[in-house]
């Protein structure tokens, strides 16, 4: 049975984290409802990974209140992890093992045995087109296959909450879309998903709601479409302030399409790009930075 969408899966209030005199998180508050895909966005060093580690129970918070599915991660970390699936940026796969053996080993961590374990492993490998590599060593897998394996391994426990930290980094478009389809399928089945990503199109397509974290604080939160309409309504015109678009400074302007059409008719400089505003524009306006793959 799917959980009620009124149920709060993650409830963070006034979360703070310091390392010595360095404040990494300050007064972070947000809630994730059951069955939604919730985005956690921010530039490198913003505090996203720390938030995930606090939720997962591998880093202790310095202050604030946190409940994850009714558990306090600092008190009930082991019990909490029985209900979590986690895909971190590092795959942490044993190079010497075969694909299937790696999955079977992780079944033991979730108390899955015998025929039940084998059935679940085979179904998950099939779901991400990994069955043909079941007996191949992990060291022989491509980067995309390793990422798919890390993804399906996180589903062995049939988690209520799935944490995906940059799940599609470095993947080709076909594999990215395959993972997107699987995420949508899981969400339809009632799985709650916490997603960090540097791909703004990914966040815009998958996330029901999101927060933007910058310098350890929540900058803004809401539904992607609402944030776009509020902060960057209409269309975006991209101009170059130099003679060459690649070398010159880039200027973005936001207005309605009718306003741009009128300016162009008056003989104003034509933009290099004219398109509807998107989530990347929101991110740039809030943080002053374009989120890149190595952020």
């Amino acid at each position: 049975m799917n959980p009620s969408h009124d149920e709060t899966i993650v409830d963070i209030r006034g979360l703070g984290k310091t390392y010595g005199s360095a404040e990494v998180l300050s007064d972070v508050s947000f809630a994730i409802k059951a069955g939604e895909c919730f985005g956690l966005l921010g530039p490198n060093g913003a505090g996203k990974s720390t938030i995930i580690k606090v939720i997962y129970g591998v880093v202790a918070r310095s202050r604030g209140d946190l409940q994850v599915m009714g558990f306090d991660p600092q008190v009930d970390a082991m019990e909490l992890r029985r209900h979590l699936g986690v895909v971190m940026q590092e795959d942490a796969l044993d190079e010497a093992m075969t694909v299937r053996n790696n999955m079977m080993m992780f079944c033991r961590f979730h108390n899955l045995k015998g025929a039940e374990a084998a059935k679940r492993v085979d179904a998950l490998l099939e779901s991400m087109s990994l069955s043909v590599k079941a007996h191949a060593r992990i060291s022989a897998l491509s980067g995309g296959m390793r990422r798919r394996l890390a993804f399906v391994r996180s589903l062995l426990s049939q988690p209520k909450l799935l944490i995906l930290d940059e799940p599609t980094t470095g993947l080709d478009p076909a594999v990215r879309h395959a993972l997107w389809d699987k995420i949508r399928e899981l969400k339809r089945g009632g799985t709650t998903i916490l997603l960090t990503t540097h791909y703004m199109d990914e966040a815009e397509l998958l996330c029901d709601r999101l927060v933007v974290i910058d310098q350890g604080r929540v900058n803004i939160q809401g539904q992607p479409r609402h944030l776009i309409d509020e902060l960057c309504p209409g269309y975006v015109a991209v101009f170059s302030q130099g003679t060459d678009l690649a070398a010159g400074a880039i200027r973005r302007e936001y207005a309605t399409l009718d306003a741009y059409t009128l300016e162009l008719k008056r003989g104003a400089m034509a933009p290099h790009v004219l398109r509807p505003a998107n989530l990347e524009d929101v991110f740039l306006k809030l943080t002053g930075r374009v989120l890149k793959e190595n952020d």
Side-chain angles (χ1 to χ4, degrees):
M1 188 173 79
N2 292 345
S4 166
H5 285 273
D6 293 330
E7 181 185 355
T8 299
I9 299 297
V10 178
D11 191 8
I12 298 177
R13 301 183 185 185
L15 178 66
K17 178 62 183 177
T18 56
Y19 292 100
S21 61
E23 187 176 51
V24 179
L25 299 175
S26 177
D27 196 28
V28 172
S29 299
F30 61 84
I32 303 175
K33 297 295 185 180
E36 72 175 341
C37 182
F38 189 90
L40 183 59
L41 309 183
N44 188 39
K48 304 185 303 297
S49 294
T50 302
I51 291 172
I52 285 178
K53 290 173 181 176
V54 170
I55 291 173
Y56 188 35
V58 296
V59 168
R61 64 188 183 274
S62 300
R63 57 194 168 275
D65 297 318
L66 172 60
Q67 292 286 310
V68 183
M69 294 178 286
F71 299 105
D72 182 336
Q74 280 183 220
V75 178
D76 305 302
M78 293 302 294
E79 180 63 24
L80 170 62
R81 289 172 197 167
R82 293 179 53 207
H83 306 278
L84 286 179
V86 181
V87 179
M88 300 303 286
Q89 293 182 38
E90 303 80 19
D91 293 329
L93 299 167
D94 189 329
E95 299 277 338
M97 298 187 74
T98 67
V99 168
R100 196 172 191 280
N101 285 347
N102 182 268
M103 292 282 282
M104 293 298 292
M105 180 183 71
F106 271 79
C107 282
R108 295 199 293 271
F109 299 154
H110 300 293
N111 202 29
L112 289 169
K113 301 175 183 177
E116 180 188 6
K119 182 179 180 181
R120 191 170 300 179
V121 164
D122 291 341
L124 286 171
L125 293 178
E126 179 65 29
S127 73
M128 290 303 294
S129 302
L130 287 169
S131 296
V132 294
K133 295 291 184 178
H135 301 292
R137 290 187 183 275
I138 289 171
S139 59
L141 297 184
S142 66
M145 287 182 176
R146 293 166 67 98
R147 203 65 181 143
R148 279 184 277 166
L149 176 58
F151 184 86
V152 295
R153 192 178 65 181
S154 73
L155 305 179
L156 281 169
S157 65
Q158 298 178 325
K160 188 175 182 180
L161 172 63
L162 179 61
I163 299 174
L164 302 175
D165 189 9
E166 309 272 1
T168 63
T169 296
L171 299 183
D172 65 51
V175 179
R176 283 184 72 202
H177 281 269
L179 285 179
W180 290 357
D181 289 343
K182 189 64 178 177
I183 290 169
R184 292 189 184 102
E185 178 188 327
L186 290 166
K187 197 166 87 71
R188 287 194 298 270
T191 303
T192 305
I193 297 163
L194 173 59
L195 172 72
T196 76
T197 179
H198 57 263
Y199 296 121
M200 294 296 99
D201 60 334
E202 186 165 275
E204 193 172 334
L205 285 168
L206 296 177
C207 295
D208 300 293
R209 294 186 303 122
L210 57 85
V211 295
V212 176
I213 306 289
D214 194 17
Q215 298 181 346
R217 297 175 180 270
V218 173
N219 194 315
I220 200 168
Q221 58 182 296
Q223 299 176 10
R225 187 69 253 169
H226 290 177
L227 295 178
I228 295 168
D229 292 342
E230 176 186 351
L231 296 173
C232 302
Y235 281 69
V236 179
V238 181
F239 298 87
S240 172
Q241 293 179 319
T243 57
D244 177 69
L245 181 62
I250 301 300
R251 186 178 88 252
R252 299 187 188 201
E253 295 181 356
Y254 304 90
T256 65
L257 185 59
D258 288 343
Y260 283 132
T261 302
L262 181 61
E263 286 298 310
L264 293 174
K265 285 181 178 178
R266 289 173 177 169
M269 182 177 68
H272 290 276
V273 177
L274 181 60
R275 58 167 174 74
N278 58 35
L279 197 57
E280 183 178 356
D281 301 306
V282 171
F283 189 91
L284 179 61
K285 192 167 187 178
L286 290 172
T287 69
R289 285 169 280 184
V290 176
L291 197 58
K292 298 178 181 178
E293 186 162 332
N294 58 359
D295 277 351

